[in-house]
Amino acid sequence: GTATASKGSAAGSTMASAVNLPLNELLDIFMKVAQGIEAAHKAGVVHRDLKPQNIMLTSDRWPYVMDFGLAKAIQAESSLSVSGAIMGTPAYMPPEQAQGRLDAIDGQTDIYSLGATMYAVLCKKQPFTGQTPMENLMRVCKDEPAPPRSHNPEIPEQVESIILKAMSKENADRYATAHPIAEDLKRH
């Protein structure tokens, strides 16, 4: 099965409060989230604000990707935002979104944010932190994240590689779609 996409709210907790679940359960949840993101992309929708707080978990730990408020149809002209405006959550947005390059926002945006979300949950720490949102944006654009295993040595090397590939600064270096992320997590 795949994660379900929803605009509403569901009873349960979010991935932000799931950081103490066993690693294998977290990886299974993220595999389902990647499958859900893949389904949204195939339906022509980019989320643009994927983060731990937007992934609800049911009592049986089934993920629901929530809050498509910033979502954008992949093919449509973006009329949802002011030209060049930065919309989203700085700690989880890719460089192209942090720079306000709206023409570059596509499925790759969600790939990066999924990697940053995995980083935050598995490391119990955001990939980039600054004193201000602007400092966060600058770090997203210029700095490489610290290796996840430097924060949590229990993260397997293969999973660290998945996270860092998803969080590549350049679109071309990221996974092309969410499907191979799900497959790589399943293999692990």
Side-chain angles (χ1 to χ4, degrees):
T2 61
T4 304
S6 172
K7 276 192 175 186
S9 63
S13 59
T14 69
M15 286 302 290
S17 60
V19 294
N20 293 319
L21 290 177
L23 183 67
N24 63 332
E25 286 187 43
L26 290 171
L27 295 178
D28 183 62
I29 291 167
F30 279 121
M31 180 191 71
K32 292 171 182 160
V33 170
Q35 292 168 337
I37 293 298
E38 178 74 6
H41 290 173
K42 282 187 173 166
V45 176
V46 178
H47 190 283
R48 299 202 305 175
D49 195 24
L50 191 64
K51 58 186 175 183
Q53 297 84 345
N54 284 344
I55 303 170
M56 295 292 298
L57 294 176
T58 63
S59 57
D60 60 353
R61 300 201 175 112
W62 193 262
Y64 284 79
V65 178
M66 308 295 287
D67 192 5
F68 277 75
L70 290 183
K72 158 182 166 176
I74 293 173
Q75 303 298 346
E77 269 307 302
S78 177
S79 59
L80 296 176
S81 58
V82 178
S83 180
I86 297 169
M87 300 178 75
T89 306
Y92 302 100
M93 65 174 57
E96 64 271 14
Q97 190 173 4
Q99 293 165 351
R101 293 188 292 125
L102 299 184
D103 60 321
I105 294 172
D106 59 15
Q108 297 295 117
T109 303
D110 289 344
I111 300 297
Y112 180 97
S113 297
L114 177 58
T117 296
M118 290 173 58
Y119 188 109
V121 171
L122 298 178
C123 297
K124 300 179 182 167
K125 177 183 189 347
Q126 292 180 348
F128 300 103
T129 53
Q131 299 294 321
T132 65
M134 185 54 69
E135 188 179 337
N136 254 351
L137 292 171
M138 296 299 291
R139 289 192 173 171
V140 163
C141 295
K142 297 190 182 317
D143 298 350
E144 291 299 325
R149 290 171 48 84
S150 70
H151 299 298
N152 179 357
E154 291 180 27
I155 297 172
E157 287 180 30
Q158 306 94 307
V159 173
E160 179 178 75
S161 294
I162 293 167
I163 293 168
L164 293 176
K165 180 174 180 174
M167 289 183 67
S168 292
K169 298 285 184 211
E170 298 297 326
N171 285 11
D173 297 332
R174 293 179 205 148
Y175 286 92
T177 67
H179 179 73
I181 297 175
E183 291 300 307
D184 284 354
L185 288 171
K186 191 185 300 183
R187 268 195 290 279
H188 172 75

